[in-house]
């Protein structure tokens, strides 16, 4: 029992680069499948080339939210006027955080847990990031399963949600249903159902007497009754929906295959998965703008109906900041993990700027493709665009499929759309699983050095089993619950502590000097903006979002279905499970440090011995003195240049 507990604590608390013995196995390492002959770091490996890193980062940042959330937020918050707060929040919150995390990971070539060797008392922040990435990975792949199912269902004509077929109930209708209430008018003997104001006994029902009967569109009923087989609530779990379970299994198999050799294999896959969504969006945009009513949709999205007065509403600014924060995937650990495989002198600043601008440009571009076709749908139904525009699941699996079913050759457009959602989701999942694999490899470098494929496949298998409750008849309620709680408060708190730890404890000036070791010296004017953001502006923005989110918190719901009290309590427990490691790890570090209480606090608030660039050849200046972790992995040094530290230092 003690052996297993020791292994568990080592994963979280061990300083990973330290070891007592070093084997002279340089030639063997070069033969590892996850290490290339041109890699400068033959212990961990590097990206094969710059393109693979950039495509992986863009694929990670550009996800489903760019397609199904941003366009709706823009329409809701003033159309084109929303771009003003959106760009401002990108500049003051999005890019600074992305630049911070990518620089942090690249500098020390470690994952989101072990970068905190720079500040051991904050290592629990990295643990929280890994845990939230794990929880998000469980339900995010369920959304990929939905996309797979709809893609397979699209291989038939007509599309199964294009009309009220055998699977529907009496509440399904393509047209509105209205009742003429004769009690309010003379000469009417009984209530009469009329469609589109048809005549009854050579007369038209008076407008004031018409009562609309709520109905569901075929696409809405297909989503509820066929795809989800949705139960009445979280209390009614129901059996596993096997077609979704099989799609979930297929999704995890695709991810495991792509990550079989770590970044060496996923870097090849992203050549397709990161670029294909842009091809589909361009095709959908070209097709959409040629449809009747497309202009109305675009006008609602970001055209002449933009409302500048919305800028005076605080909620607009909060939505802009929240969208930037989540769409760039900061504080999840993925940015740090992916950048840790960069070569040391890679221009991380230019890369961060490119990825952030590409991500936001994609959001705006996707909105044109989405709303042009929604405009056509509104034209067909004779409704304003505001009545067909939705966000989230409602857009991806109800409104947009309904719109596509109205087009000629509708199966083709449907297949392309859901295949695009699949590739968008896969890219984000690659990085999420890479976070877990990277942290395990960094924690046990000798044990897992040649077992990268086992880690990837084993992680995917475990997360598949944990995701099975999300493909029961109550699965959509679990997905919504985890999405609202796991992908919310934890990320905001982790990002805030990340900024505080790096710039108020580790030292902002020291961190800037670390970055200059990688990208070269920059002028003080260059750093003026970044200092202002990192020290003041970005923490203030995150604090406002966090406080506002707490004050305006509403219990989760799915449509009209409210969650039971135990479900809401479970959501808060998930948040607590992720955050509790921050104080626990801090206490553990203090207890393991040596000296009196003040000396212990100083020790855990200072970098451990050996902190700095991973390879000896990149260490210079203040990182050349004292004992260091061994650097047997530098291709520029002979194999007998080995450095190690004593055991007691690993306890810091």
């Amino acid at each position: 029992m003690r052996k297993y507990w020791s292994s568990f604590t080592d994963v979280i608390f061990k300083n990973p680069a330290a070891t007592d013995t070093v084997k002279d196995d340089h030639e063997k390492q070069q033969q590892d499948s996850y290490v290339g002959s041109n890699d400068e770091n033959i212990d961990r490996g590097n990206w094969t080339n710059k393109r693979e890193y950039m495509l992986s980062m863009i694929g990670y940042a550009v996800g489903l939210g760019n397609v199904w959330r941003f366009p709706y937020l823009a329409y809701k918050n003033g159309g084109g006027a929303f771009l003003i707060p959106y760009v401002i929040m990108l500049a003051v919150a999005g890019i600074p955080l992305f630049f911070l995390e990518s620089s942090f990971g690249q500098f020390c070539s470690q994952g989101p847990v072990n970068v905190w060797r720079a500040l051991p008392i904050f290592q629990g922040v990295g643990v929280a990031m890994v845990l939230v990435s794990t929880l998000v990975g469980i339900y995010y792949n369920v959304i990929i399963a939905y996309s797979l199912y709809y893609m397979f269902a699209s291989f038939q004509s007509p599309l199964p949600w294009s009309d009220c077929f055998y699977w529907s109930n009496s509440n399904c209708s393509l047209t509105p249903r209205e009742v003429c209430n004769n009690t309010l008018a003379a000469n009417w003997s009984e209530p009469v159902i009329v469609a589109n104001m048809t005549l009854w006994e050579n007369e038209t029902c008076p407008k004031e007497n018409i009562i609309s009967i709520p109905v569901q569109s075929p696409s809405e009923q297909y989503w509820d009754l066929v795809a989800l087989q949705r139960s009445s609530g979280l209390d009614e779990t129901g059996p596993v929906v096997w077609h979704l379970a099989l799609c979930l299994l297929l999704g995890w198999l695709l991810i495991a295959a792509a990550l079989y050799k770590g970044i060496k294999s996923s870097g090849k896959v992203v050549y397709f998965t990161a670029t294909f969504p842009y091809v589909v969006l361009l095709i959908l945009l070209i097709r959409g703008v040629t449809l009747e009513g497309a202009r109305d949709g675009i006008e609602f999205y970001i055209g002449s109906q933009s409302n500048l007065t919305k800028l005076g509403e605080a909620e607009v600014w909060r939505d802009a900041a929240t969208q930037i924060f989540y769409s760039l995937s900061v504080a999840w650990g993925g940015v740090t993990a992916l950048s840790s495989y960069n070569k040391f002198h890679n221009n991380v600043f230019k890369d961060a700027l490119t990825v952030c601008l590409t991500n936001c440009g994609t959001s705006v571009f996707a909105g044109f493709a989405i709303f042009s076709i929604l405009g056509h749908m509104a034209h067909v139904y004779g409704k304003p665009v505001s009545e067909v525009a939705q966000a989230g699941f409602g857009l991806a699996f109800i409104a947009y499929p309904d719109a596509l079913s109205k087009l000629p050759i509708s199966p083709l457009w449907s297949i392309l759309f859901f295949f695009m959602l699949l590739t968008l989701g896969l890219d984000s999942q690659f990085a999420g699983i890479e976070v877990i694999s990277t942290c395990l490899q960094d924690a046990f470098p000798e044990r897992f050095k040649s077992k990268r494929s086992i880690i990837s496949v084993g992680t995917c298998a475990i997360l598949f089993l944990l995701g099975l409750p999300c493909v029961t008849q109550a699965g959509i309620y679990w997905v919504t619950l985890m999405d609202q709680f796991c992908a919310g408060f934890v990320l905001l708190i982790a990002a805030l502590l990340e900024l505080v730890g790096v710039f108020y404890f580790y030292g902002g000036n020291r961190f800037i000097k670390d970055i200059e070791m990688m990208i070269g010296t920059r002028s003080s004017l260059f750093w003026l903006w970044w200092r202002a953001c990192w020290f003041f502006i970005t923490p203030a923005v995150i604090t406002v979002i966090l406080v506002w989110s707490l004050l305006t918190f509403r219990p989760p719901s799915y449509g009209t279905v409210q969650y039971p009290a135990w479900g809401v309590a479970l959501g808060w427990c998930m948040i607590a499970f992720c955050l509790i490691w921050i104080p626990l790890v801090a206490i553990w570090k203090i207890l393991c440090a040596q000296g009196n209480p003040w000396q212990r606090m100083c020790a855990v608030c200072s970098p451990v011995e050996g902190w700095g660039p991973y390879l000896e050849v990149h260490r210079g200046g203040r990182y050349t003195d004292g004992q260091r972790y061994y650097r047997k992995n530098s291709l520029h040094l002979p194999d007998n240049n080995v450095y190690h530290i004593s055991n007691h230092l690993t306890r810091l």
Side-chain angles (χ1 to χ4, degrees), residues 3-53:
K3 178 180 70 174
Y4 293 111
W5 173 250
S6 176
S7 298
F8 172 74
T9 55
D10 281 349
V11 173
I12 299 175
F13 303 117
K14 183 181 177 183
N15 288 322
T19 186
D20 295 326
T21 60
V22 178
K23 294 181 180 180
D24 190 8
D25 56 356
H26 185 186
E27 295 181 358
K28 180 180 178 181
Q29 290 176 358
Q30 286 185 312
Q31 298 174 357
D32 288 336
S33 59
Y34 61 89
V35 177
S37 58
N38 295 324
D39 292 352
E40 70 176 14
N41 188 329
I42 62 173
D43 268 357
R44 302 179 81 254
N46 297 108
W47 294 99
T48 302
N49 53 57
K50 184 68 167 285
R51 290 187 301 274
E52 293 186 6
Y53 166 68

Side-chain angles (χ1 to χ4, degrees), residues 164-173 177 215-216 221 225:
C164 298
F165 295 113
Y166 67 92
W167 43 262
S168 62
N169 58 35
S170 59
N171 200 35
C172 178
S173 177
R177 290 179 181 173
V215 295
Q216 291 181 306
Q221 286 214 345
L225 302 180

Side-chain angles (χ1 to χ4, degrees), residues 587-634:
I587 294 171
W588 176 270
K589 293 291 183 180
I590 294 172
L591 292 176
C592 291
Q594 299 177 355
N596 59 45
W598 175 250
Q599 291 173 329
R600 289 170 183 252
M601 286 300 300
C602 290
V604 298
C605 292
S606 304
V608 299
E609 294 253 19
W611 160 254
Y614 194 90
L615 299 180
E616 179 64 30
V617 70
H618 297 138
R619 301 173 71 87
R622 62 186 182 277
Y623 293 108
T624 57
D625 300 324
Q627 290 179 301
R628 297 175 288 266
Y629 290 102
Y630 71 95
R631 303 296 171 202
K632 67 187 178 64
N633 38 28
S634 173

Side-chain angles (χ1 to χ4, degrees), residues 243-297:
H243 59 257
L244 291 181
L246 292 175
C247 290
L248 180 64
L249 176 61
L250 177 58
W252 280 117
L253 289 175
L254 292 173
I255 293 169
L259 294 174
Y260 188 74
K261 294 183 179 180
I263 60 170
K264 295 299 183 183
S265 55
S266 67
K268 303 297 185 294
V269 176
V270 293
Y271 277 107
F272 175 75
T273 57
T275 57
F276 183 75
Y278 291 95
V279 176
V280 175
L281 285 174
L282 181 61
I283 293 173
L284 291 175
L285 176 61
I286 294 173
R287 182 67 183 100
V289 297
T290 63
L291 297 172
E292 193 173 3
R295 181 171 181 175
D296 295 334

Side-chain angles (χ1 to χ4, degrees), residues 69 82 85-86 88-90 92-94 97 314-327 330 484 487-496 499 536-554 572:
R69 178 171 168 80
F82 182 70
Y86 186 70
I88 292 175
M89 290 302 169
L90 171 66
V92 302
L97 276 170
E315 186 176 359
V316 174
W317 293 84
R318 185 195 66 170
D319 285 346
T322 304
Q323 177 62 17
I324 283 291
F325 187 83
Y326 295 133
S327 67
V330 290
Q484 178 158 341
F489 298 112
V490 178
L491 300 180
L492 292 170
I493 294 173
L496 183 61
L499 287 164
F536 307 110
I537 302 176
T538 308
V541 170
I542 294 176
T543 302
V544 170
I545 298 174
L546 178 60
V547 173
W548 196 340
S549 298
L550 289 170
L551 293 177
T552 60
F553 173 79
R554 295 178 181 176
W572 287 110

Side-chain angles (χ1 to χ4, degrees), residues 290-555:
T290 63
L291 297 172
E292 193 173 3
R295 181 171 181 175
D296 295 334
I298 294 175
E299 291 287 345
F300 265 85
Y301 166 51
I302 207 167
S304 61
Q305 299 191 31
S306 298
N307 185 3
L308 290 174
T309 61
K310 283 277 190 178
L311 298 180
E313 299 179 11
E315 186 176 359
V316 174
W317 293 84
R318 185 195 66 170
D319 285 346
T322 304
Q323 177 62 17
I324 283 291
F325 187 83
Y326 295 133
S327 67
L328 288 176
S329 302
V330 290
W332 300 73
V335 175
T336 304
L338 294 180
S339 62
S340 71
Y341 295 101
N342 277 333
K343 294 183 178 180
F344 186 76
H345 291 295
N346 174 63
N347 192 334
V348 66
F349 168 71
K350 184 175 69 174
D351 293 348
L353 202 61
T354 301
V355 172
C356 292
L357 294 178
T358 301
N359 173 74
C360 296
T362 302
S363 297
V364 177
F365 177 64
F368 287 100
I370 297 297
F371 269 84
S372 61
I373 292 184
L374 289 182
H376 174 68
M377 175 184 175
H379 172 77
V380 171
Y381 281 131
K383 296 180 178 180
V385 178
S386 59
E387 293 188 16
V388 299
Q390 299 184 50
F393 297 114
L395 173 64
F397 300 108
I398 298 176
Y400 209 74
D402 192 6
L404 294 175
S405 69
K406 304 296 185 290
L407 302 179
I409 327 177
S410 55
L412 172 63
W413 307 115
S414 185
I415 292 169
L416 287 175
F417 175 71
F418 288 111
F419 192 46
M420 177 190 70
L421 293 186
L422 170 64
T423 54
L424 285 172
L426 287 176
D427 284 335
S428 298
Q429 278 290 79
F430 292 162
I433 304 306
E434 191 62 48
V435 170
I436 303 172
S437 302
T438 296
C439 289
L440 288 174
Q441 181 181 329
D442 290 345
F444 302 106
E446 295 298 328
R447 186 177 306 176
F448 291 142
K449 184 178 300 182
S450 58
K451 298 180 175 62
R452 191 56 180 268
S453 58
I454 297 177
I455 296 175
S456 298
V457 174
T459 300
C460 292
I462 293 172
L463 294 186
F464 164 71
L465 295 176
L466 293 176
L468 286 178
C470 294
V471 290
T472 60
Q473 291 183 348
I476 190 63
Y477 304 116
W478 287 106
V479 171
T480 304
L481 182 73
M482 296 175 71
D483 181 57
Q484 178 158 341
F485 282 98
C486 296
F489 298 112
V490 178
L491 300 180
L492 292 170
I493 294 173
L496 183 61
L497 291 176
E498 187 176 42
L499 287 164
V500 171
V502 173
F503 293 99
Y504 288 93
F505 285 81
Y506 180 73
N509 292 332
R510 178 174 187 162
F511 184 69
I512 288 173
K513 290 179 181 178
D514 292 343
I515 297 176
E516 289 185 334
M517 289 178 65
M518 298 184 289
I519 66 174
T521 304
R522 297 291 193 270
S523 67
S524 57
L525 187 62
F526 173 85
W527 291 114
L528 181 62
W529 170 253
W530 302 110
R531 289 177 191 272
C533 288
W534 285 330
F535 278 97
F536 307 110
I537 302 176
T538 308
V541 170
I542 294 176
T543 302
V544 170
I545 298 174
L546 178 60
V547 173
W548 196 340
S549 298
L550 289 170
L551 293 177
T552 60
F553 173 79
R554 295 178 181 176

